[in-house]
Amino acid sequence: MTYRVVFEVAFASDEDRTDYIASWEAGSEVIQTYPGARGTRLHSALGRNGVFAVAEWESKEARDAAFEAIRRDHGEDADRILGENGYDEQFGEVTLFATGDEIAAVPSIHA
């Protein structure tokens, strides 16, 4: 099963949105080099100037260990990669929706 973190970033401007997407991609590339990372996704927030972000991990413990290692390995750059509590709030208002383990899944028959 998978541990997920789901949050929204609401932007004050289109420029903030563009900058955030670039920052997210760069940070995600670093994060994905650590054990237990299973990918990240951004989704548009229809009718809103924001995005929904989903980060997937093997477990909460793997995520915590990766964030600790990133802080150790990247020093001052860790804040740029992770932001405060792992969410880069410099681009907009962040709302954490959920963190938790997957408890059930129904695979697509069209995959």
Side-chain angles (χ1 to χ4, degrees), residues 48-71:
R48 301 161 73 132
N49 191 18
V51 294
F52 288 98
V54 179
E56 296 183 347
W57 293 89
E58 178 181 286
S59 66
K60 180 181 184 314
E61 293 77 18
R63 178 188 179 274
D64 292 348
F67 277 37
E68 183 178 316
I70 290 168
R71 286 186 177 92

Side-chain angles (χ1 to χ4, degrees), residues 2-8 20 24 27-28 31-32 36-43 52-60 63 67 82 85-87 96 98-102:
T2 301
Y3 177 78
R4 287 189 178 87
V5 178
V6 181
F7 58 96
E8 179 187 23
Y20 179 78
W24 172 268
S28 287
I31 290 169
Q32 296 312 303
R38 290 191 170 169
T40 59
R41 293 178 185 82
L42 285 180
H43 302 270
F52 288 98
V54 179
E56 296 183 347
W57 293 89
E58 178 181 286
S59 66
K60 180 181 184 314
R63 178 188 179 274
F67 277 37
L82 302 175
N85 298 317
Y87 311 114
L96 178 63
T99 60
D101 293 316
E102 181 179 305

Side-chain angles (χ1 to χ4, degrees), residues 30 33-34 69-81:
V30 171
T33 65
Y34 287 83
I70 290 168
R71 286 186 177 92
R72 181 188 63 243
D73 297 346
H74 294 274
E76 290 181 18
D77 287 337
D79 287 340
R80 181 183 51 78
I81 295 166

